[in-house]
């Protein structure tokens, strides 16, 4: 039932220029320092967040394993953004002051990915994840249901914005509940703040 509602919302959104992921970009930027040395965006899709990070960061690496989205991202690449087509887990060791990962963590093996993120985050650096989860509790279902009218309102309000192409990136259904996620994240990123969010998403913040 909820999947049908989400699909209906996606169709409504596609008729208007809006993405559940891009909705969180401004919030993500507020969690990051105003001036960043190097940033990494994991699963960057067509690069909307990387382009926003480029206004803050000296240099941005934006990685996605899908050649089609990277080809599209490269058509609008600021000089300080390096779009890389690769599996993020194959990237060479490096250090980043800010790392972001929007709607992509559930595409990755969770523990190896989080371990790699922790290794790559510079001391004092910030990791911000917006992810998808499987609803399991009554509270989850209430939030998921509340997202439907909110989606229609926000989508209607965004109706005259510039169209986004972010929704063309490959998608996958999540397989982890919030409780499972918390259990698996805590040993790797102790003290990470995980919060349920609107639009079928959660946020995770961890400061190294
Ligand atoms: C749902 S899309 C989200 C794209 C973008 N972050 C956004 O907010 O619109 C998930 C992206 O993660 C990418 N991805 C999946 N597994 C990956 C991996 N192992 N390494 C790099 N990118 C990956 C997919 O190709 C896809 O573009």
């Amino acid at each position: 039932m909820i999947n049908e509602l989400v699909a209906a919302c996606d169709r409504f959104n596609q008729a208007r220029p809006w993405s559940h992921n891009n909705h969180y970009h401004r919030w993500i930027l507020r969690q990051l320092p105003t001036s960043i040395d190097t940033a990494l965006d994991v699963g960057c899709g067509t690069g909307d967040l990387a382009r926003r990070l480029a206004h803050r960061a000296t240099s941005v690496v934006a990685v996605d394993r899908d050649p089609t989205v990277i080809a599209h991202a490269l058509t609008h690449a600021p000089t300080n953004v390096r779009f890389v087509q690769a599996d993020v887990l194959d990237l060479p060791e490096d250090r980043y002051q800010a790392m972001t990962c929007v709607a992509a963590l559930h595409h990755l093996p969770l523990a190896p990915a989080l371990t790699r993120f922790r290794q790559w985050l510079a001391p004092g650096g910030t990791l911000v994840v917006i992810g998808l989860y499987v609803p399991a509790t009554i509270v989850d279902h209430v939030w998921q249901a509340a997202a439907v009218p909110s989606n229609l309102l926000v989508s209607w309000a965004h109706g005259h914005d510039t169209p986004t192409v972010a929704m063309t990136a490959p998608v996958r259904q999540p397989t982890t509940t919030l409780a499972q996620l918390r259990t698996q994240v805590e040993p790797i990123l102790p003290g990470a703040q995980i919060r349920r969010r609107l639009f079928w998403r959660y946020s995770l913040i961890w400061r190294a």
Side-chain angles (χ1 to χ4, degrees):
M1 173 67 178
I2 196 72
N3 285 343
E4 285 156 24
L5 285 172
V6 173
C9 284
D10 279 343
R11 285 196 296 278
F12 187 82
N13 294 343
Q14 275 157 19
R16 292 156 186 80
W18 188 58
S19 144
H20 296 136
N21 298 332
N22 291 18
H23 174 76
Y24 286 100
H25 286 180
R26 273 192 282 186
W27 179 84
I28 291 170
L29 290 171
R30 284 201 297 276
Q31 313 313 311
L32 299 175
T34 48
S35 171
I36 299 166
D37 183 7
T38 49
L40 173 69
D41 185 37
V42 176
C44 64
T46 51
D48 290 348
L49 179 57
R51 281 184 280 277
R52 287 189 146 188
L53 286 167
H55 294 292
R56 284 270 178 103
T58 307
S59 68
V60 179
V61 177
V63 61
D64 199 295
R65 73 174 172 195
D66 184 80
T68 309
V69 293
I70 286 294
H72 189 98
L74 284 167
T75 64
H76 302 88
T79 52
N80 60 338
V81 179
R82 187 162 62 91
F83 286 108
V84 180
Q85 191 232 317
D87 186 320
V88 62
L89 297 179
D90 293 337
L91 282 188
E93 167 96 41
D94 212 334
R95 281 280 179 279
Y96 301 95
Q97 202 186 348
M99 292 180 57
T100 52
C101 181
V102 176
L105 188 57
H106 65 288
H107 290 244
L108 305 170
L110 185 63
L114 293 179
T115 304
R116 200 63 63 85
F117 293 176
R118 186 188 62 202
Q119 290 163 349
W120 288 344
L121 208 53
T126 307
L127 166 70
V128 184
V129 175
I130 295 290
L132 277 68
Y133 65 97
V134 176
T137 66
I138 290 174
V139 179
D140 291 342
H141 286 289
V142 169
W143 273 74
Q144 303 241 328
V148 175
S150 315
N151 179 100
L152 300 179
L153 273 176
V154 177
S155 191
W156 177 80
H158 280 254
H160 303 291
D161 286 0
T162 310
T164 175
V165 290
M167 283 183 277
T168 58
V171 293
R172 173 184 287 190
Q173 292 302 315
T175 56
T176 311
T177 66
L178 271 183
Q180 291 166 335
L181 189 83
R182 288 192 169 104
T183 305
Q184 293 175 48
V185 167
E186 183 59 25
I188 305 171
L189 306 176
Q193 295 173 277
I194 298 176
R195 287 188 53 191
R196 197 184 277 104
R197 298 275 166 187
L198 261 182
F199 308 129
W200 308 284
R201 274 141 180 77
Y202 68 85
S203 63
L204 180 161
I205 301 182
W206 189 71
R207 297 184 205 279

